[in-house]
Amino acid sequence: MSHLDALVPPEPILFDELDEEERREILRHHQEQLRRIQQQQAKRCQKMARQNQDDSSESETDQLAKQLNDAAKLTPESIDTPQELVKLDPAEIGMSVGYKHLYSGKEDKRGRFQWQTTIPEDLGKPAEDAESEKFAIIVRNVKVYSDPKKVLSIHSIVIQSSLLKELLKEVLAGYPGVTVGLKRLEFSGRFEPLIHRWTELNAAIKKLKQADIVDADDKAADRLKHAELLHDLLAKEFQDTIDASTDLKGQGVMTYEHLWTLFQPGSFVFSKQQGQDRIFRLHSSKYGQDRNGNPVYWLTCQYVDYDGTRWGTNKLNVCIPAFDGTRPIINLPTLPLDFHGSKDEIKAKLMERGSKVEKFAGSHYRAYNGVGWRTNNMGQKEKYSVKGRIVIDTFGWNRFNPNLPIFVTPLHVKDNQTAAGLGGGAAATGEYGGEDEYDEGYDDDDGGMPLDGFFADEEDEESKRVTLADEQRMICTPLVRGYALKEKMWLNFFVNAVQDIDFSNRAFDSLVLPKNQKELILGFTATQQSYISKFDDVIEGKGRGIILLLCGPPGVGKTLTAESVAEEMKVPLYMMSAGDLGLDPRHVESKLQGILDMCTRWNAILLLDEADVFLEERSLHELERNKLVSIFLRVLEYYEGIMFLTTNRVQTFDAAFQSRIHISLEYHELDIKSRKTVWENFLKQHNIAQAAARERPLKAPASAAKAAITTNGAEQHSPTSPSAANGDGDDAAAAKEIKELHHNRTHPHKITARELDKLCQMSMNGRQIKNILKTAQLLASKRGDGLGYEHIQTVMEVTQHLHNTTQESERAKASFFH
């Protein structure tokens, strides 16, 4: 079939039935085909004319010229326009057995091309065929334009030798991303796997050379030849890089250009993150840019983390900024662990820290003294100084912070840890985040959403929890997630700042209440802890909680009762006030429900102080307040924990709360006996604090203004004051005076039993007694004496107007009602 025959369809259909645009498209297609035919004929004729110029006959030349002239005379009008196109029977479509090949034609600027039925004439034979398959290694080369020493460079190699694959299986064992058993084992780029394992490759070849060829198998000689072939190929291409890297490592320095030779995937690297020593397992690395466009070398590292139900791996992206010249490896922000000067000590310390993190899996009530942080809505870290009680609870973190969950890829016991996957979620861009974090990622980031959209059940997974190995503890995160009870927010905590709680043994004993009343409160709440899940209402989950109402005047121990019970039971105490919930009914319910759920989960005691703000009786006019009261009535019905309500205005409570309160205790004004107990408790506590202060070493003055200490009108000088600079004798005398002063200040109190009886006669509540004692103690310390009755009397005289005002109010009330 000639080229012109390709323009005519097998059978025509009516051309007149086509619209104007379709006709124009067919004519344009014919013109394009005609132009291509003319070009091909011209090229063929010119080529044949040059080849046969000397030996071809005159008739052949004339024939070629005639064909060229005929092709040049072709016009769209000279080609018969098809009047009909084939219309197949729908039953015949796709029923012919075979292939219909189409080939790409001319390509435009947008990458689009036309399909044609003829094979392009400029096709060559494939480079790799049966002939190339018999060689041990296929080497692909490319032209080099920027290196005056080279004209060709290796682009990639394909290892086909089964003997070489057996050798590389041992050399590249455990290297991430390399599967040696593939039929086509290909390496390209910088050949990182082979360069990183260059020492192992040389050792394997040396071992082959030392083996006795006679005693070895028949393929031993061929195996050595193939190994040397690969070695020579790599040495010829990368010898300069290998030598430079070896020299730099030997000197303990490195250049930015050769950083990639220093970091081998699967190895351990050391880095400091937010002041914490960290060891990671390197997953991969690459040259790139930070978000400001500065060149950096990115390292994607793996570490072990806990998501509340199970242990797994997560990733952290760290970078090394570009630098000029050489830099000591030990000074790099991230360096291989083998180059660390105290490698063994660091490993032991981090294993111990990882054991602490492992111990805190689950929910734990602890103390904390350090820095906590969280990520705000803008992705920035907010730091807080935390000193107080916390609840460590990663499962609760995920439940109550669904936008910032901790999600890990589970650890597989049988799998090699170097091949463990990387987690996503909040930690996918790094534990600590940072402006320089890149989000390209080598793994698909699922946004922290766990499998099937929900987190595993904590109770079911607790029995399946694996025990971490030493290496896993070494690369474990230093963070635990929990809730700061005083700050009332979820934060990340550093595990080394977590401490055991020193519970007070005197708290409940110091509570001034009738013995039977104290026994009822403690027994009631303690029994509820174990009984919480056994009793239920008609509706599941309804009415399981216990609500205690404590009402009475200020300063009689209502709040102290809840605090003492929590201290005695060694459970968290959540103190909720109006400021924690706000006054907007749209948000009060969700916040209140979250607080109640947290307290139920931790077996915590919830204290709603000054509860009359939310539980005040409803009226016909205050619709917003009615909404708040209705929310509390409904939510408290489903609370499953222990709640203390305190108020001094119980008469304002809504009647609907009476049926929801299990125990109501009324606190009366302190009588003489109760006040004496309060005085004795505070004075006993004062003596304990004084004894502890005497044992503590003296602290140097914080400023020059504090250097001069006045005692009874006489000026004493500290050893660091200017007047103490006259010599060693003066320093010793000043130090002796300060020691004597400190001794006098830390004496026990000097209040006698008769003086205590006088104090008990004064009508005061517990809070007033505490404040007077605290002020009197400061006055005694200023005078350099132990606490005495005269100090309390002085404070009472100064603050008498407060008590007089209170007494006048009481007398006014008495005159009205009596």
Side-chain angles (χ1 to χ4, degrees):
M1 183 175 67
S2 67
H3 293 286
L4 295 178
D5 294 334
L7 299 176
V8 183
E11 295 183 16
I13 70 165
L14 294 178
F15 184 78
D16 296 336
E17 295 180 358
L18 301 178
D19 56 23
E20 186 66 24
E21 184 175 353
E22 290 176 337
R23 295 176 186 175
R24 192 179 296 110
E25 180 65 22
I26 291 177
L27 291 176
R28 187 191 63 77
H29 177 69
H30 286 191
Q31 292 175 355
E32 183 68 25
Q33 290 281 44
L34 175 62
R35 195 159 39 250
R36 187 179 296 109
I37 292 173
Q38 290 175 346
Q39 293 174 355
Q40 292 175 354
Q41 289 284 12
K43 290 180 180 178
R44 186 180 295 108
C45 292
Q46 293 174 1
K47 182 177 180 181
M48 294 180 62
R50 286 195 300 269
Q51 292 177 350
N52 302 325
Q53 186 174 5
D54 297 331
D55 52 354
S56 60
S57 62
E58 185 68 23
S59 59
E60 292 177 345
T61 303
D62 295 341
Q63 185 177 2
L64 290 173
K66 184 176 181 300
Q67 292 179 359
L68 181 60
N69 293 332
D70 293 342
K73 294 178 181 179
L74 287 175
T75 62
E77 293 76 10
S78 62
I79 301 175
D80 294 335
T81 301
Q83 296 297 319
E84 292 181 345
L85 296 175
V86 175
K87 282 189 176 180
L88 289 178
D89 186 349
E92 298 180 8
I93 296 176
M95 299 304 297
S96 297
V97 180
Y99 306 106
K100 177 61 177 177
H101 291 281
L102 300 178
Y103 307 95
S104 61
K106 184 178 180 181
E107 186 175 0
D108 63 9
K109 295 180 180 179
R110 297 184 180 180
R112 302 173 299 183
F113 44 79
Q114 296 176 348
W115 296 100
Q116 61 185 35
T117 58
T118 58
I119 300 177
E121 296 184 357
D122 56 351
L123 292 180
K125 293 183 179 180
E128 297 185 24
D129 51 16
E131 177 66 20
S132 64
E133 287 183 353
K134 64 183 180 180
F135 291 95
I137 304 175
I138 296 178
V139 183
R140 304 188 184 118
N141 297 278
V142 294
K143 293 180 180 180
V144 176
Y145 298 96
S146 58
D147 191 346
K149 299 180 181 179
K150 284 183 175 182
V151 292
L152 287 177
S153 176
I154 296 180
H155 173 270
S156 57
I157 63 174
V158 180
I159 296 179
Q160 303 183 134
S161 169
S162 59
L163 302 179
L164 263 181
K165 292 178 183 178
E166 292 177 7
L167 178 69
L168 293 179
K169 188 178 295 186
E170 178 182 353
V171 172
L172 300 178
Y175 197 95
V178 178
T179 305
V180 181
L182 294 176
K183 185 177 180 181
R184 289 175 58 85
L185 180 59
E186 186 171 340
F187 297 96
S188 60
R190 294 190 181 92
F191 294 75
E192 285 96 339
L194 297 175
I195 302 302
H196 286 151
R197 298 291 177 90
W198 184 254
T199 303
E200 288 81 354
L201 178 61
N202 288 332
I205 294 175
K206 184 177 180 181
K207 184 178 179 181
L208 289 177
K209 291 180 179 179
Q210 293 175 349
D212 192 351
I213 301 298
V214 178
D215 298 335
D217 56 273
D218 298 337
K219 298 181 180 179
D222 293 337
R223 186 178 292 108
L224 177 59
K225 291 180 181 178
H226 288 197
E228 290 179 336
L229 186 69
L230 176 62
H231 180 274
D232 294 342
L233 176 68
L234 296 175
K236 181 180 178 182
E237 183 71 17
F238 299 102
Q239 192 63 52
D240 293 342
T241 301
I242 295 172
D243 292 344
S245 177
T246 304
D247 184 32
L248 290 169
K249 292 177 185 177
Q251 299 294 328
V253 297
M254 185 53 61
T255 62
Y256 181 73
E257 179 186 1
H258 292 90
L259 273 179
W260 68 274
T261 65
L262 185 64
F263 294 98
Q264 181 179 155
S267 62
F268 292 112
V269 296
F270 172 83
S271 181
K272 267 190 177 293
Q273 299 294 323
Q274 280 199 343
Q276 300 288 312
D277 290 337
R278 298 293 304 273
I279 293 179
F280 302 99
R281 185 182 291 277
L282 182 63
H283 177 265
S284 57
S285 58
K286 60 181 292 186
Y287 287 96
Q289 294 179 342
D290 60 15
R291 62 179 56 187
N292 296 323
N294 302 316
V296 294
Y297 187 67
W298 284 110
L299 302 168
T300 299
C301 304
Q302 285 181 327
Y303 63 94
V304 172
D305 205 346
Y306 182 67
D307 70 353
T309 57
R310 56 192 176 185
W311 293 96
T313 56
N314 217 320
K315 70 177 180 179
L316 174 66
N317 297 321
V318 298
C319 67
I320 301 176
F323 55 90
D324 297 329
T326 60
R327 178 172 295 182
I329 296 177
I330 194 66
N331 292 341
L332 293 175
T334 303
L335 65 145
L337 181 61
D338 292 336
F339 286 88
H340 196 283
S342 305
K343 178 177 68 173
D344 296 334
E345 290 81 356
I346 287 293
K347 291 172 65 175
K349 184 178 74 172
L350 298 195
M351 285 180 190
E352 181 182 358
R353 187 181 68 186
S355 299
K356 293 181 182 178
V357 178
E358 184 179 15
K359 183 180 69 174
F360 288 132
S363 181
H364 302 272
Y365 183 37
R366 291 293 186 273
Y368 188 80
N369 186 7
V371 176
W373 62 271
R374 66 177 181 179
T375 305
N376 60 18
N377 295 332
M378 302 298 294
Q380 300 173 340
K381 290 185 291 296
E382 296 177 344
K383 297 180 181 180
Y384 301 88
S385 180
V386 180
K387 186 176 182 180
R389 309 280 179 88
I390 65 171
V391 179
I392 299 173
D393 186 9
T394 307
F395 185 87
W397 172 288
N398 287 336
R399 177 179 175 183
F400 298 106
N401 290 278
N403 293 325
L404 296 171
I406 307 299
F407 180 52
V408 299
T409 300
L411 294 173
H412 300 289
V413 179
K414 295 182 180 180
D415 291 351
N416 190 334
Q417 296 304 321
T418 59
L422 299 177
T429 57
E431 236 174 20
Y432 308 103
E435 296 182 355
D436 293 337
E437 298 291 347
Y438 78 107
D439 197 20
E440 297 175 12
Y442 300 135
D443 302 276
D444 293 332
D445 187 359
D446 54 11
M449 182 60 66
L451 187 64
D452 296 333
F454 65 90
F455 291 94
D457 191 346
E458 184 182 23
E459 296 180 359
D460 295 341
E461 293 294 330
E462 188 171 356
S463 59
K464 305 175 185 177
R465 193 178 297 157
V466 299
T467 301
L468 297 182
D470 287 343
E471 284 192 355
Q472 293 169 343
R473 294 190 183 102
M474 183 178 67
I475 63 174
C476 187
T477 175
L479 297 177
V480 291
R481 286 89 184 180
Y483 190 83
L485 292 171
K486 185 187 297 183
E487 289 74 14
K488 296 180 181 178
M489 60 180 65
W490 290 92
L491 297 173
N492 293 278
F493 302 109
F494 295 103
V495 70
N496 283 337
V498 177
Q499 305 167 355
D500 291 333
I501 298 176
D502 185 14
F503 291 99
S504 174
N505 299 324
R506 307 185 308 274
F508 196 74
D509 295 336
S510 302
L511 190 61
V512 181
L513 284 177
K515 184 178 179 182
N516 58 349
Q517 192 170 337
K518 292 172 63 175
E519 184 179 359
L520 174 65
I521 295 174
L522 184 60
F524 200 64
T525 53
T527 306
Q528 168 67 12
Q529 294 288 337
S530 58
Y531 196 66
I532 190 170
S533 61
K534 297 180 181 179
F535 181 82
D536 212 342
D537 202 334
V538 177
I539 303 301
E540 182 181 359
K542 183 179 181 181
R544 288 186 179 183
I546 293 295
I547 300 177
L548 298 91
L549 175 63
L550 310 179
C551 54
V556 293
K558 301 188 299 297
T559 303
L560 181 61
T561 300
E563 295 171 338
S564 302
V565 169
E567 198 75 5
E568 185 72 16
M569 296 174 58
K570 296 179 172 59
V571 296
L573 173 68
Y574 191 100
M575 301 183 67
M576 182 171 63
S577 62
D580 300 327
L581 301 177
L583 295 175
D584 188 352
R586 293 174 296 178
H587 304 300
V588 166
E589 184 169 3
S590 60
K591 291 182 180 179
L592 178 61
Q593 189 63 58
I595 292 174
L596 298 183
D597 290 344
M598 289 191 299
C599 292
T600 302
R601 170 175 171 77
W602 301 330
N603 289 329
I605 289 179
L606 177 60
L607 172 60
L608 181 54
D609 219 359
E610 304 299 335
D612 48 274
V613 176
F614 288 102
L615 308 184
E616 190 174 351
E617 185 177 4
R618 287 168 287 182
S619 66
L620 297 176
H621 309 290
E622 299 183 49
L623 298 180
E624 292 299 319
R625 177 170 291 279
N626 292 350
K627 291 179 183 178
L628 296 177
V629 177
S630 301
I631 290 171
F632 265 84
L633 285 170
R634 182 176 65 257
V635 173
L636 293 184
E637 189 73 24
Y638 289 89
Y639 180 49
E640 300 181 11
I642 300 172
M643 177 185 289
F644 282 87
L645 305 177
T646 68
T647 181
N648 52 12
R649 296 195 303 167
V650 69
Q651 65 274 8
T652 65
F653 271 29
D654 193 279
F657 283 102
Q658 296 179 3
S659 62
R660 289 167 170 80
I661 295 173
H662 299 82
I663 294 181
S664 179
L665 300 177
E666 185 177 2
Y667 288 66
H668 301 283
E669 292 284 0
L670 298 179
D671 55 16
I672 295 177
K673 183 179 178 181
S674 298
R675 287 196 291 268
K676 185 176 181 179
T677 304
V678 173
W679 278 103
E680 289 175 344
N681 289 337
F682 280 126
L683 290 174
K684 186 186 299 182
Q685 188 173 348
H686 168 78
N687 288 345
I688 296 174
Q690 291 290 85
R694 179 172 293 185
E695 298 298 326
R696 288 197 296 266
L698 290 173
K699 293 184 179 180
S703 66
K706 297 180 181 180
I709 305 171
T710 304
T711 306
N712 295 327
E715 186 181 36
Q716 305 292 334
H717 297 279
S718 71
T720 57
S721 63
S723 61
N726 298 327
D728 295 338
D730 293 340
D731 289 345
K736 184 178 179 181
E737 291 176 2
I738 290 179
K739 188 174 182 181
E740 290 178 358
L741 177 62
H742 177 70
H743 182 78
N744 294 333
R745 285 177 170 177
T746 54
H747 273 306
H749 72 84
K750 299 180 292 185
I751 300 175
T752 64
R754 175 172 291 185
E755 292 169 343
L756 183 60
D757 291 337
K758 291 181 181 180
L759 294 174
C760 296
Q761 301 298 324
M762 302 178 187
S763 179
M764 291 185 290
N765 60 42
R767 188 174 292 110
Q768 290 171 331
I769 295 174
K770 181 187 70 173
N771 293 338
I772 288 174
L773 270 177
K774 182 178 180 180
T775 309
Q777 207 292 333
L778 294 174
L779 178 61
S781 178
K782 179 73 169 68
R783 295 178 178 178
D785 297 330
L787 177 64
Y789 180 77
E790 64 276 10
H791 303 114
I792 297 177
Q793 195 173 18
T794 301
V795 174
M796 291 288 293
E797 291 174 355
V798 174
T799 60
Q800 188 65 33
H801 65 281
L802 294 175
H803 306 292
N804 293 338
T805 302
T806 304
Q807 292 172 2
E808 288 294 336
S809 300
E810 294 296 331
R811 282 195 291 269
K813 289 181 182 178
S815 64
F816 281 117
F817 292 103
H818 299 287

